[in-house]
Each structure stands twice: as structure tokens, then as C-alpha cells.
């Protein structure tokens, strides 16, 4: 996480793995066919590890062959990316749940301090996952 991932003012959540304009243009060239993670990363121009560390855990559509290798359909990845990374606007009392993949109301909020950050934490009322939202940075 760096400074650029925090946009507290307008309550816009920035997910890791967001692509820049040039990468998004290359994303449009992906075809309706299966790519290996390496081919996909070279086609779009991002780090190969981003597939394993960010996109797959976030629910990127993929399949595994009999040898356990991952294949990703280019068109499906494009649709998934746009859907997942379209800006999520949060109300004051909402946080983004990565399991439900949407904004959920925060109930029974606990305020925490850690690593120079002040954040609010609660359980998602829909799926029970612990969710947190950064509300301030300690000076
Ligand atoms: Zn949830």
C-alpha cells in the first residue's frame, strides 16, 4: 500500500492491482481464448505475480488443467476486471466486503490503531467476514 491507494476524502476504495490507462488499453486487446498467467501478464503488461497474489484471490475467473496449471479466458478477465475495479463509492457507515464484493453497512464498529493507521473494523452483516476501513492516519 502506498499513498496513492488511499483516497479517504471522497470515500473511494482503491483495490490493489488496479491498471493504469496504458494497461487498460491493452486489456481491450485480449481475445476470447485461454491464456496462461504469463501470457496474460505479458499481453497487458503487469507483473506475473499480480495474477497469483491479487487477481486470483479476488475471484478472477480461471480454470485449472489436469496438471494444475491455471488458464484465464481473456474476455472473461476483461469483463471481471471492469466489474471488480469500477469505482466503489462508500457512504460514511459503509465498508467494502471482499467476499460479497460490494459495499455493506458497518454495524458494531470497533475503532483500532495499527501501523500508523486509524481504522474501523466490524463483521460483515451478510457473510460474517471481518472488514475494515481506514479512517485516518496518525501524524
Ligand atoms: Zn460480506
Amino acid at each position: 500500500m502506498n499513498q496513492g491507494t488511499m483516497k479517504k476524502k471522497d470515500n473511494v476504495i482503491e483495490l490493489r492491482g488496479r491498471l493504469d490507462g496504458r494497461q487498460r488499453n491493452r486489456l481491450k486487446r485480449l481475445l476470447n481464448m485461454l491464456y496462461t498467467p504469463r501470457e496474460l501478464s505479458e499481453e497487458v503488461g503487469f507483473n506475473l505475480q499480480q495474477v497469483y497474489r491479487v487477481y486470483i484471490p479476488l475471484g478472477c475467473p480461471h480454470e485449472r488443467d489436469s496438471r494444475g496449471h491455471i488458464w484465464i479466458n481473456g474476455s472473461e478477465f476483461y469483463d471481471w476486471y471492469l466489474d471488480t475495479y469500477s469505482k466503489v463509492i462508500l457512504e460514511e457507515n459503509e465498508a467494502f466486503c471482499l467476499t460479497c464484493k460490494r459495499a455493506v453497512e458497518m454495524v458494531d464498529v470497533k475503532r483500532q490503531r495499527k501501523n500508523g493507521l486509524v481504522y474501523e473494523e466490524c463483521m460483515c452483516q451478510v457473510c460474517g467476514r471481518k472488514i475494515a476501513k481506514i479512517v485516518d492516519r496518525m501524524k
Side-chain angles (χ1 to χ4, degrees):
M1 277 249 259
N2 57 37
Q3 296 280 355
T5 61
M6 285 210 2
K7 288 193 176 175
K8 187 172 79 71
K9 261 186 208 151
D10 48 4
N11 283 325
V12 173
I13 283 252
E14 294 279 355
L15 294 176
R16 289 174 66 206
R18 188 177 289 279
L19 302 175
D20 63 24
R22 198 177 118 266
Q23 292 169 319
R24 282 200 302 277
N25 273 333
R26 295 172 68 165
L27 200 62
K28 291 178 194 152
R29 301 199 310 228
L30 293 178
L31 303 173
N32 184 18
M33 58 173 247
L34 292 175
Y35 294 80
T36 64
R38 179 173 296 281
E39 287 166 346
L40 190 74
S41 68
E42 284 170 1
E43 232 12 80
V44 183
F46 52 70
N47 188 298
L48 173 62
Q49 289 308 316
Q50 204 158 302
V51 174
Y52 299 102
R53 293 198 184 136
V54 182
Y55 299 138
I56 301 279
L58 270 178
C60 155
H62 64 280
E63 45 192 88
R64 281 175 198 271
D65 65 20
S66 55
R67 297 168 67 195
H69 294 149
I70 288 176
W71 294 88
I72 297 170
N73 179 292
S75 304
E76 283 179 17
F77 180 78
Y78 178 66
D79 290 343
W80 172 83
Y81 177 86
L82 291 188
D83 194 45
T84 305
Y85 286 82
S86 54
K87 284 204 168 152
V88 181
I89 312 292
L90 297 174
E91 299 295 331
E92 196 73 4
N93 63 339
E94 288 180 335
F96 187 83
C97 175
L98 286 172
T99 301
C100 302
K101 297 191 171 47
R102 63 181 180 84
V104 294
E105 191 186 349
M106 296 185 85
V107 179
D108 291 333
V109 178
K110 290 194 188 85
R111 190 165 273 232
Q112 313 271 24
R113 287 159 185 276
K114 199 175 177 183
N115 299 333
L117 297 174
V118 181
Y119 60 98
E120 293 179 339
E121 197 177 74
C122 72
M123 296 296 183
C124 173
Q125 294 297 295
V126 181
C127 70
R129 176 185 177 137
K130 189 188 280 183
I131 48 179
K133 178 164 87 168
I134 295 168
V135 291
D136 204 2
R137 272 173 185 274
M138 287 183 254
K139 301 273 152 44

